[in-house]
Amino acid sequence: MRIFITGGAGYVGSHCARLLRESGHELCIYDNLSAGHRGAVEASELVVGDLADVKKLHQTMSDFGPEAVMHFAASTAVGESVKEPLLYYRNNVVNTVNLLEVMKSLEVKKLVFSSTCATYGVPPKMPITEDMPTHPLSPYGRTKLIMEQVYADCSRAWGLGFAALRYFNASGASFDVTIGEDHKPETHLIPIVLQVALGQREQVEIFGDDYPTPDGTCIRDYIHVEDLADAHQRALLTLTPGKQIIVNLGTGSGHSVKEVIDVTEKVTGKKINVKMGPRREGDTPSLYADPTNGQKVLGWQAKVTNLEDIIQTAWEWHREHPNGFAE
Ligand code: UDP
């Protein structure tokens, strides 16, 4: 298949692109490199461009002639979205509408979309199933939910087929340690804890230990990035025009912030200095997936289910690439 990938030089996008390339698909990666890295992709596949530049987007897509689009390009930090909501509405909503307009004009009717468990807000119970109410707590979560609704409208109006993949916490690095997580600035828990293990940071601050969870810290479902890539490939092969798929991508197990720190100490053999801090705005106490729908709809389930194995792959990447892609 010929696949157009927005944000394919980013963390999850680059792992998906690699799997698709290895499976023999032809790729065009459209990325403005605001968060992505040249070193994460094949130079011959990369077009440096912005979704706001509709002329370039249209030209690139019509030259390439894709059969499907995978859309990763987005602003993704929950905390930042609370402070800069308009940036999120522009990048994640307006620019995605640009993409849809070009897809419609070129009659591309298959879209795999990076959605998020942040669409749920505070779910009524755990684990989370896809039919639970969606009341996002942050502008970030709202932008992703809005786009899912826009896709459903386009599906009815002109036959768009879409898969909204609601990721839980993407983590880990490629098994061959060639690509991994590199955000600047880094805000995610596992890479921050690993930076402490590497001596690049003095300590990790725990954002709140007064949550209604067994150890008082937030619980998340950490899902390996190679498992996410596998789910994207399956979604692509399952999609047909007009089809609507919404699937949670998680392991089904939740781990607290303190557990992540303890397991990282075990994996790295290093002492992790910890500082207790206040809660972070927009955080939900506990989020973990019911992954049964992914099995039913995509024939998918996470292969890396052990937190220690997930952190081990991340540790190998950070140890071998202490400055990330270092561009
Ligand atoms: N977290 C933390 N300290 C940090 C970064 C994150 O305590 O320096 C907590 C955060 O409050 C959340 C969990 O770790 O409960 C995972 O946060 P992350 O930003 O990695 O992912 P998110 O759940 O926001 O997508």
Side-chain angles (χ1 to χ4, degrees), residues 78 169 187-190 192 204-207 218-220 222 257 280 283-284:
V78 171
N169 288 56
T187 62
H188 295 104
L189 180 65
I190 292 177
I192 284 177
V204 53
E205 181 173 344
I206 296 182
F207 297 145
C218 287
I219 291 176
R220 295 288 180 272
Y222 295 91
V257 174
R280 184 176 67 176
D283 266 339
T284 306

mmCIF file of all heavy atoms in Angstrom, residues 78 169 187-190 192 204-207 218-220 222 257 280 283-284, ligand 1:
data_model
loop_
_atom_site.group_PDB
_atom_site.id
_atom_site.type_symbol
_atom_site.label_atom_id
_atom_site.label_comp_id
_atom_site.label_asym_id
_atom_site.label_seq_id
_atom_site.Cartn_x
_atom_site.Cartn_y
_atom_site.Cartn_z
ATOM 1 N N VAL A 78 -0.429 17.325 27.732
ATOM 2 C CA VAL A 78 -1.665 17.686 28.443
ATOM 3 C C VAL A 78 -1.508 19.027 29.177
ATOM 4 O O VAL A 78 -2.348 19.922 29.058
ATOM 5 C CB VAL A 78 -2.037 16.563 29.451
ATOM 6 C CG1 VAL A 78 -3.168 16.986 30.366
ATOM 7 C CG2 VAL A 78 -2.399 15.298 28.701
ATOM 8 N N ASN A 169 -0.526 4.880 27.754
ATOM 9 C CA ASN A 169 0.762 5.590 27.820
ATOM 10 C C ASN A 169 1.838 4.925 26.963
ATOM 11 O O ASN A 169 2.431 3.910 27.371
ATOM 12 C CB ASN A 169 1.212 5.688 29.278
ATOM 13 C CG ASN A 169 0.360 6.669 30.054
ATOM 14 O OD1 ASN A 169 -0.865 6.530 30.108
ATOM 15 N ND2 ASN A 169 0.982 7.676 30.623
ATOM 16 N N THR A 187 8.545 15.536 29.123
ATOM 17 C CA THR A 187 7.541 15.681 30.192
ATOM 18 C C THR A 187 7.059 14.325 30.694
ATOM 19 O O THR A 187 6.361 14.254 31.693
ATOM 20 C CB THR A 187 6.295 16.451 29.683
ATOM 21 O OG1 THR A 187 5.691 15.690 28.621
ATOM 22 C CG2 THR A 187 6.645 17.839 29.194
ATOM 23 N N HIS A 188 7.401 13.239 29.985
ATOM 24 C CA HIS A 188 6.831 11.932 30.320
ATOM 25 C C HIS A 188 7.624 11.212 31.410
ATOM 26 O O HIS A 188 8.843 11.337 31.496
ATOM 27 C CB HIS A 188 6.743 11.062 29.063
ATOM 28 C CG HIS A 188 5.785 11.615 28.059
ATOM 29 N ND1 HIS A 188 6.185 12.267 26.919
ATOM 30 C CD2 HIS A 188 4.434 11.662 28.065
ATOM 31 C CE1 HIS A 188 5.115 12.675 26.260
ATOM 32 N NE2 HIS A 188 4.036 12.331 26.933
ATOM 33 N N LEU A 189 6.866 10.448 32.197
ATOM 34 C CA LEU A 189 7.443 9.868 33.411
ATOM 35 C C LEU A 189 8.641 8.942 33.144
ATOM 36 O O LEU A 189 9.712 9.133 33.745
ATOM 37 C CB LEU A 189 6.342 9.103 34.170
ATOM 38 C CG LEU A 189 6.812 8.440 35.459
ATOM 39 C CD1 LEU A 189 7.251 9.486 36.484
ATOM 40 C CD2 LEU A 189 5.708 7.557 36.043
ATOM 41 N N ILE A 190 8.473 7.940 32.286
ATOM 42 C CA ILE A 190 9.551 6.931 32.156
ATOM 43 C C ILE A 190 10.857 7.565 31.663
ATOM 44 O O ILE A 190 11.911 7.372 32.290
ATOM 45 C CB ILE A 190 9.090 5.722 31.298
ATOM 46 C CG1 ILE A 190 8.014 4.938 32.078
ATOM 47 C CG2 ILE A 190 10.276 4.826 30.927
ATOM 48 C CD1 ILE A 190 7.403 3.759 31.330
ATOM 49 N N ILE A 192 11.845 10.585 31.994
ATOM 50 C CA ILE A 192 12.370 11.465 33.054
ATOM 51 C C ILE A 192 13.072 10.625 34.124
ATOM 52 O O ILE A 192 14.189 10.946 34.558
ATOM 53 C CB ILE A 192 11.239 12.324 33.654
ATOM 54 C CG1 ILE A 192 10.880 13.451 32.673
ATOM 55 C CG2 ILE A 192 11.634 12.902 35.018
ATOM 56 C CD1 ILE A 192 9.734 14.342 33.098
ATOM 57 N N VAL A 204 13.333 13.020 40.259
ATOM 58 C CA VAL A 204 12.026 13.080 39.606
ATOM 59 C C VAL A 204 11.028 13.578 40.656
ATOM 60 O O VAL A 204 11.078 13.172 41.811
ATOM 61 C CB VAL A 204 11.606 11.710 39.029
ATOM 62 C CG1 VAL A 204 11.660 10.600 40.064
ATOM 63 C CG2 VAL A 204 10.206 11.773 38.413
ATOM 64 N N GLU A 205 10.178 14.484 40.202
ATOM 65 C CA GLU A 205 9.137 14.976 41.100
ATOM 66 C C GLU A 205 7.890 14.137 40.889
ATOM 67 O O GLU A 205 7.452 13.938 39.741
ATOM 68 C CB GLU A 205 8.850 16.450 40.772
ATOM 69 C CG GLU A 205 7.787 17.049 41.670
ATOM 70 C CD GLU A 205 7.616 18.558 41.456
ATOM 71 O OE1 GLU A 205 8.501 19.195 40.845
ATOM 72 O OE2 GLU A 205 6.582 19.072 41.905
ATOM 73 N N ILE A 206 7.323 13.616 41.958
ATOM 74 C CA ILE A 206 6.060 12.855 41.858
ATOM 75 C C ILE A 206 4.915 13.842 41.987
ATOM 76 O O ILE A 206 4.804 14.558 42.988
ATOM 77 C CB ILE A 206 5.976 11.772 42.949
ATOM 78 C CG1 ILE A 206 7.079 10.735 42.750
ATOM 79 C CG2 ILE A 206 4.591 11.114 42.939
ATOM 80 C CD1 ILE A 206 7.053 9.581 43.747
ATOM 81 N N PHE A 207 4.087 13.887 40.952
ATOM 82 C CA PHE A 207 2.991 14.861 40.935
ATOM 83 C C PHE A 207 1.787 14.347 41.727
ATOM 84 O O PHE A 207 0.795 13.906 41.164
ATOM 85 C CB PHE A 207 2.580 15.171 39.495
ATOM 86 C CG PHE A 207 3.656 15.809 38.654
ATOM 87 C CD1 PHE A 207 3.772 15.527 37.300
ATOM 88 C CD2 PHE A 207 4.573 16.699 39.217
ATOM 89 C CE1 PHE A 207 4.760 16.111 36.514
ATOM 90 C CE2 PHE A 207 5.582 17.287 38.450
ATOM 91 C CZ PHE A 207 5.672 16.992 37.096
ATOM 92 N N CYS A 218 -0.649 8.300 40.885
ATOM 93 C CA CYS A 218 -1.517 8.005 39.734
ATOM 94 C C CYS A 218 -1.162 6.678 39.077
ATOM 95 O O CYS A 218 0.015 6.315 38.970
ATOM 96 C CB CYS A 218 -1.366 9.086 38.678
ATOM 97 S SG CYS A 218 -2.131 10.619 39.118
ATOM 98 N N ILE A 219 -2.194 6.036 38.576
ATOM 99 C CA ILE A 219 -2.025 4.747 37.899
ATOM 100 C C ILE A 219 -2.255 4.917 36.402
ATOM 101 O O ILE A 219 -3.225 5.552 35.983
ATOM 102 C CB ILE A 219 -3.005 3.724 38.497
ATOM 103 C CG1 ILE A 219 -2.565 3.395 39.929
ATOM 104 C CG2 ILE A 219 -3.099 2.469 37.633
ATOM 105 C CD1 ILE A 219 -3.493 2.466 40.661
ATOM 106 N N ARG A 220 -1.326 4.377 35.604
ATOM 107 C CA ARG A 220 -1.433 4.442 34.147
ATOM 108 C C ARG A 220 -1.154 3.065 33.544
ATOM 109 O O ARG A 220 -0.493 2.230 34.159
ATOM 110 C CB ARG A 220 -0.410 5.445 33.564
ATOM 111 C CG ARG A 220 -0.635 6.898 33.973
ATOM 112 C CD ARG A 220 -1.851 7.483 33.286
ATOM 113 N NE ARG A 220 -2.091 8.864 33.653
ATOM 114 C CZ ARG A 220 -2.816 9.260 34.690
ATOM 115 N NH1 ARG A 220 -3.360 8.367 35.498
ATOM 116 N NH2 ARG A 220 -3.020 10.538 34.924
ATOM 117 N N TYR A 222 0.923 1.421 30.773
ATOM 118 C CA TYR A 222 2.076 1.694 29.895
ATOM 119 C C TYR A 222 2.112 0.648 28.780
ATOM 120 O O TYR A 222 2.232 -0.547 29.055
ATOM 121 C CB TYR A 222 3.377 1.707 30.723
ATOM 122 C CG TYR A 222 3.353 2.865 31.700
ATOM 123 C CD1 TYR A 222 2.839 2.714 33.004
ATOM 124 C CD2 TYR A 222 3.769 4.136 31.315
ATOM 125 C CE1 TYR A 222 2.761 3.789 33.883
ATOM 126 C CE2 TYR A 222 3.701 5.215 32.193
ATOM 127 C CZ TYR A 222 3.195 5.033 33.474
ATOM 128 O OH TYR A 222 3.109 6.103 34.341
ATOM 129 N N VAL A 257 2.867 5.585 39.733
ATOM 130 C CA VAL A 257 4.121 6.332 39.528
ATOM 131 C C VAL A 257 5.225 5.723 40.403
ATOM 132 O O VAL A 257 6.356 5.517 39.938
ATOM 133 C CB VAL A 257 3.914 7.833 39.866
ATOM 134 C CG1 VAL A 257 5.236 8.593 39.810
ATOM 135 C CG2 VAL A 257 2.881 8.458 38.929
ATOM 136 N N ARG A 280 -0.559 17.507 39.302
ATOM 137 C CA ARG A 280 -0.456 18.241 38.040
ATOM 138 C C ARG A 280 -1.868 18.454 37.494
ATOM 139 O O ARG A 280 -2.664 17.518 37.468
ATOM 140 C CB ARG A 280 0.376 17.404 37.055
ATOM 141 C CG ARG A 280 0.653 18.067 35.733
ATOM 142 C CD ARG A 280 1.563 17.227 34.864
ATOM 143 N NE ARG A 280 0.943 15.985 34.432
ATOM 144 C CZ ARG A 280 1.504 15.110 33.599
ATOM 145 N NH1 ARG A 280 2.731 15.330 33.134
ATOM 146 N NH2 ARG A 280 0.890 14.004 33.259
ATOM 147 N N ASP A 283 -4.616 15.845 35.505
ATOM 148 C CA ASP A 283 -4.339 14.415 35.704
ATOM 149 C C ASP A 283 -5.532 13.673 36.296
ATOM 150 O O ASP A 283 -6.191 14.167 37.203
ATOM 151 C CB ASP A 283 -3.131 14.227 36.636
ATOM 152 C CG ASP A 283 -1.834 14.061 35.876
ATOM 153 O OD1 ASP A 283 -1.875 13.707 34.692
ATOM 154 O OD2 ASP A 283 -0.768 14.289 36.488
ATOM 155 N N THR A 284 -5.755 12.468 35.802
ATOM 156 C CA THR A 284 -6.811 11.584 36.310
ATOM 157 C C THR A 284 -6.150 10.572 37.242
ATOM 158 O O THR A 284 -5.056 10.098 36.925
ATOM 159 C CB THR A 284 -7.452 10.844 35.112
ATOM 160 O OG1 THR A 284 -7.863 11.811 34.164
ATOM 161 C CG2 THR A 284 -8.629 10.004 35.525
HETATM 162 N N1 UDP B 1 4.391 12.150 36.408
HETATM 163 C C1 UDP B 1 5.094 12.482 37.559
HETATM 164 N N2 UDP B 1 6.248 13.192 37.417
HETATM 165 C C2 UDP B 1 6.750 13.577 36.205
HETATM 166 C C3 UDP B 1 6.034 13.211 35.051
HETATM 167 C C4 UDP B 1 4.855 12.492 35.182
HETATM 168 O O1 UDP B 1 4.682 12.173 38.677
HETATM 169 O O2 UDP B 1 7.803 14.243 36.162
HETATM 170 C C5 UDP B 1 3.143 11.366 36.548
HETATM 171 C C6 UDP B 1 1.935 12.065 35.937
HETATM 172 O O3 UDP B 1 1.303 12.886 36.895
HETATM 173 C C7 UDP B 1 1.069 10.862 35.526
HETATM 174 C C8 UDP B 1 2.086 9.772 35.193
HETATM 175 O O4 UDP B 1 3.307 10.180 35.795
HETATM 176 O O5 UDP B 1 0.306 10.423 36.626
HETATM 177 C C9 UDP B 1 2.299 9.608 33.700
HETATM 178 O O6 UDP B 1 2.549 10.903 33.163
HETATM 179 P P1 UDP B 1 3.046 11.131 31.691
HETATM 180 O O7 UDP B 1 3.267 12.609 31.528
HETATM 181 O O8 UDP B 1 4.196 10.230 31.401
HETATM 182 O O9 UDP B 1 1.840 10.627 30.775
HETATM 183 P P2 UDP B 1 0.287 11.058 30.757
HETATM 184 O O10 UDP B 1 -0.404 10.086 31.677
HETATM 185 O O11 UDP B 1 0.175 12.479 31.181
HETATM 186 O O12 UDP B 1 -0.094 10.841 29.335
#
